[in-house]
Amino acid sequence: MSKIIAANFKMNQTPSETIKYASEFLNKKQNFKSKVIFCPPFTSIYCMAEKLKGSTAKIGGQNCHFKNSGAFTGEISPKMLKNSGADYVILGHSERKTYFDESNELIGEKIKAALANNLHIIFCVGENENERMQNIQNSVIINQIKNTLKNIEKNELKNIIIAYEPIWAIGTGKAISPEQAEEMCKMIKDFINKNYNHGQIKVLYGGSVKSGNAKDLFKMPNIDGALVGGASLDVEEFMKIINAAENI
Ligand code: 13P
């Protein structure tokens, strides 16, 4: 099965830096067996989408509003994302929850609006360190899924990918073990299958994915790919992660 490798640039790169990155990336390879998705900042989406025309790589946003237009100063709508060349959007990232107070309910509304604009969703879930220490990670994640997806219809799930990102592993270099990540991705799939009667959901792992641990993660049967932060900003390193997925 081909894997999904998504890059979350977070708040990094100006448009000119993104164009340079995309040129370097395309010089190495243009077409991929895996699904490669770049999620740069809003200001880089259009130029990156233009640059990647002719490649199989896709573009996504890192957030969006739940309305298509209106008096929401500083916001970007899902319609704008789509028109800028994005096919995906990351929603529910723990950094949005921690620094911008996004609730599961708000994320649910954003998911609805993004789906209505024909965007595919990369929906992030994950427990914090304290919750992991108390061994309540499964119920924490199940509650996040239930509360966020409560207005999502079963037929909309085909356009949703879940990214399991334990908060304590994000940007810390402390990746979870492949076995632990596998167990969590399987738990999420079993939950979706049982409760939404949908057996095809894809689940990615995110949190300190690097070329050094990618292969062992991708060997796991229930890990369908990765959402890569820091390591995606380096063309060589990100290409190694993609190659690890393609050589499984
Ligand atoms: P890092 O790969 O930098 O740990 O970030 C993971 C992440 O948050 C991707 O969304």
Side-chain angles (χ1 to χ4, degrees), residues 89-109:
V89 60
I90 298 172
L91 290 169
H93 195 282
S94 59
E95 286 155 14
R96 300 276 336 154
K97 288 181 162 170
T98 306
Y99 303 125
F100 304 98
D101 284 338
E102 290 198 3
S103 64
N104 293 322
E105 289 69 24
L106 175 69
I107 297 157
E109 282 189 69

Side-chain angles (χ1 to χ4, degrees), residues 208-226:
S208 297
V209 175
K210 309 235 171 332
S211 59
N213 59 12
K215 189 168 163 225
D216 289 336
L217 287 163
F218 297 152
K219 277 199 284 204
M220 296 292 162
N222 288 292
I223 301 181
D224 298 310

Side-chain angles (χ1 to χ4, degrees), residues 51-226:
K51 204 71 199 161
L52 291 180
K53 277 186 180 158
S55 151
T56 57
K58 300 284 183 202
I59 303 285
Q62 299 171 15
N63 177 32
C64 68
H65 197 261
F66 56 87
K67 287 270 184 5
N68 278 340
S69 62
F72 299 101
T73 302
E75 290 293 304
I76 304 284
S77 77
K79 187 178 172 189
M80 293 168 186
L81 275 186
K82 186 74 189 175
N83 192 258
S84 301
D87 286 312
Y88 290 81
V89 60
I90 298 172
L91 290 169
H93 195 282
S94 59
E95 286 155 14
R96 300 276 336 154
K97 288 181 162 170
T98 306
Y99 303 125
F100 304 98
D101 284 338
E102 290 198 3
S103 64
N104 293 322
E105 289 69 24
L106 175 69
I107 297 157
E109 282 189 69
K110 292 181 175 202
I111 291 177
K112 262 305 215 206
L115 287 170
N117 281 279
N118 295 320
L119 289 163
H120 294 259
I121 316 299
I122 301 175
F123 163 42
C124 302
V125 295
E127 80 285 359
N128 65 30
E129 191 155 34
N130 195 12
E131 290 159 343
R132 168 67 62 168
M133 271 172 1
Q134 292 174 62
N135 200 24
I136 55 168
Q137 60 275 13
N138 292 11
S139 62
V140 165
I141 284 155
I142 284 169
N143 280 332
Q144 286 172 358
I145 296 175
K146 273 195 199 154
N147 293 332
T148 311
L149 299 187
K150 61 173 178 252
N151 295 319
I152 301 296
E153 313 293 332
K154 178 183 178 275
N155 71 345
E156 293 177 307
L157 283 171
K158 65 178 184 302
N159 292 326
I160 299 180
I161 297 165
I162 295 184
Y164 166 63
E165 298 207 306
I167 298 169
W168 49 273
I170 295 177
T172 58
K174 276 201 280 186
I176 196 170
S177 73
E179 292 73 21
Q180 279 175 309
E182 162 70 12
E183 189 184 318
M184 296 306 289
C185 292
K186 180 166 186 325
M187 185 279 292
I188 292 169
K189 283 186 183 178
D190 289 346
F191 175 78
I192 297 282
N193 200 358
K194 187 156 165 243
N195 291 273
Y196 298 84
N197 189 21
H198 176 69
Q200 278 86 46
I201 196 99
K202 300 279 184 203
V203 183
L204 313 182
Y205 168 74
S208 297
V209 175
K210 309 235 171 332
S211 59
N213 59 12
K215 189 168 163 225
D216 289 336
L217 287 163
F218 297 152
K219 277 199 284 204
M220 296 292 162
N222 288 292
I223 301 181
D224 298 310

